[in-house]
Amino acid sequence: MGLNVQMVILGTGKKKMEAQILELEEKFPGKAVGVAKFNVPLAHMITAGADFIIVPSRFEPCGLIQLHAMRYGTVPIVASTGGLVDTVKDGYTGFHIGRFNVKCEVVDPDDVIATAKAVARAVAVYGTPAMKEMVKNCMDQDFSWKGPARLWEKVLLSLDVAGSEAGVEGEEIAPLAKENVATP
C-alpha cells in the first residue's frame, strides 16, 4: 500500500480473511476498499474499471477472471499456476507473481512479498507506451472456440468417413447456432 495505488478487494472465503478485507477501508482510507461478498455484476464493474487485476490463486484449473479482465483491457497480475500461466504471458498480456505455497493454512509471507513485487512491476509500467501495448495485447486475445472448432472440424474431415465430406450437410441439430460454427 506504500505504492501510488488504490485497491478494491472483492471475494469470499475464510471468515478471518473476510474480516480483514472489511477492515481495509479503515486501515487505508482513500486507498483501499474491501467487499466480502459474491457478486458477479459488481465483479465485472470493478474489473472493467480497473487498470490491473490480481488473481492470487493457489490452484486454478482454467480461470475466467483473467479472461474477462483481458477482454476489458484490464491487465492481469496472476499466480503462476494452471490456466493462469497458460493464458497470461508475462510482460506481454500481464504479469506472473510466481508459484504460491499450497501447503499452508494461512497466507505465506513469501507469497505476499512475491505479489507486492509483481504489483510494483506493473505499477512501473503504468502510463507508459509499454502499458498501452500490453492493454492492446490483452484485448487482442481470442479465447473463443472458433479456432479450436475449426481445427477439430479439419481432423474429423481428414478421417474420410462417408458422408462427412466438406459441404455435406447432415441433420440440423442447432440451426440457430450455425453462425457460431467454424467455417474455412
Side-chain angles (χ1 to χ4, degrees), residues 28-150:
F28 305 102
K31 290 197 67 141
V33 174
V35 181
K37 290 182 182 177
F38 179 81
N39 186 320
V40 174
L42 180 58
H44 278 275
M45 287 187 276
I46 291 169
T47 303
D51 297 305
F52 300 101
I53 188 164
I54 303 172
V55 188
S57 300
R58 291 180 184 171
F59 305 96
E60 192 65 64
C62 175
L64 294 177
I65 297 167
Q66 79 283 5
L67 301 180
H68 293 152
M70 287 191 281
R71 202 69 177 145
Y72 287 127
T74 303
V75 176
I77 303 168
V78 300
S80 303
T81 189
L84 299 174
V85 83
D86 294 335
T87 55
V88 177
K89 298 174 189 111
D90 191 52
Y92 185 76
T93 57
F95 299 92
H96 288 194
I97 297 168
R99 291 202 175 275
F100 280 1
N101 180 355
V102 296
K103 296 181 181 182
C104 61
E105 286 300 313
V106 296
V107 176
D108 187 322
D110 290 339
D111 294 343
V112 175
I113 291 167
T115 303
K117 285 180 179 178
V119 170
R121 285 178 46 220
V123 170
V125 172
Y126 183 77
T128 68
M131 174 72 176
K132 190 174 182 179
E133 184 68 22
M134 195 174 283
V135 168
K136 182 183 179 315
N137 294 341
C138 285
M139 295 179 83
D140 284 346
Q141 298 294 302
D142 179 8
F143 292 108
S144 73
W145 282 104
K146 290 178 184 173
R150 195 172 290 118

